[in-house]
Amino acid sequence: MSGTAGTKPIRLVISDVDGTLVRHDKSLHPETIKAAHELKAAGITLCLVSSRPPRGVEMFLGPLGVTAPHAGFNGGQIVAGDNKTIIEELSIPEEAAREAVAHMTEAGLDVWVFAGAGWYVKAPIGPYVEHEAEVTRNTYTVVEDFSPYLSITNKIMSSSKDFDLVGRVEGDLQQRLGNRASVNRSSSYYCDVTHVDANKGHAALALAKIVGVTPQEMACLGDMNVDIPMLKVAGLSIAMGNAAESVKAAAMVVTGTNDESGWADAVRRYVLKT
């Protein structure tokens, strides 16, 4: 890890979801729920940022007592606390979206397109379609052609059980798309493409502005490389104990794992300082 924990009081906590806020079985640790309510009682706002679609984090808002805006698609959509109003939305340039879909398909990955509130797939029997539908409580639509949606696409997602292939496609697309889009793995089996500004650093800064705090008053927690941009802009950056080594190196402090009470421990020790 690098640096030291910030000394300025934290007024906003921004957390990744999968691998950070929730356990591997996608449940909330009881201590995480308690710590979230302790933040609220202390007057500290909690916002969630995820590679999931915004509706994929709604199930956690009630148990955690979150009423602030949240971001999905790595910042491609920021939704108000009413879970309906879109505050900010970023779409991938159509040419880049078409190139990404074509390359992923040719490489043998299962490709999905998210546009607006819609989730579009070509093969409902894809290796992770039902898994994603269950985890995010989202509903997909089967289509023959993605073309009608590629001018308004917030996120392109591809998956495979061949994790090495997913990694190769990530590297290939980062080179091919350059600064036309952002390409990152959100897990070992998912490769995501979003607008070039749809990254968690952009999302964290946007949420801080909406809430009315400075980046120095913001703490961010994450576990994957896709979380590093928000760790870099935070006054306090926290990596989970299960995080990739590159994420730990980018963070000021490292806490326990997501299956343990790592999230709650970090909030209490470094934010609430109890």
Side-chain angles (χ1 to χ4, degrees), residues 23 29 31-32 240-241 255-265:
R23 296 179 283 195
H29 194 291
E31 290 302 317
T32 295
M240 300 302 294
T255 187
T257 72
N258 63 321
D259 280 333
E260 301 166 327
S261 57
W263 194 92
D265 292 344

Side-chain angles (χ1 to χ4, degrees), residues 103-111 158-160 165-166 169 189 191:
H103 183 74
M104 289 169 162
T105 302
E106 290 169 5
L109 273 62
D110 186 36
V111 183
S158 61
S159 65
S160 173
L165 174 61
V166 176
V169 169
Y189 44 85
C191 179

Side-chain angles (χ1 to χ4, degrees), residues 65-83:
V66 175
T67 56
H70 57 278
F73 302 137
N74 294 329
Q77 275 188 0
I78 297 177
V79 180
D82 63 6
N83 299 329

Side-chain angles (χ1 to χ4, degrees), residues 101-147:
V101 167
H103 183 74
M104 289 169 162
T105 302
E106 290 169 5
L109 273 62
D110 186 36
V111 183
W112 314 332
V113 166
F114 294 85
W119 172 21
Y120 304 98
V121 307
K122 287 187 178 180
I125 59 172
Y128 292 101
V129 173
E130 291 302 329
H131 167 76
E132 185 72 10
E134 180 180 359
V135 166
T136 64
R137 300 181 189 177
N138 203 354
T139 303
Y140 57 82
T141 300
V142 180
V143 298
E144 293 185 1
D145 185 9
F146 290 135
S147 293

Side-chain angles (χ1 to χ4, degrees), residues 49-51 71-78 88-90 194 197-200 202-203:
V49 177
S50 178
S51 62
F73 302 137
N74 294 329
Q77 275 188 0
I78 297 177
E88 182 177 312
E89 186 171 32
L90 298 170
T194 56
D197 289 331
N199 63 72
K200 292 188 179 181
H202 169 87

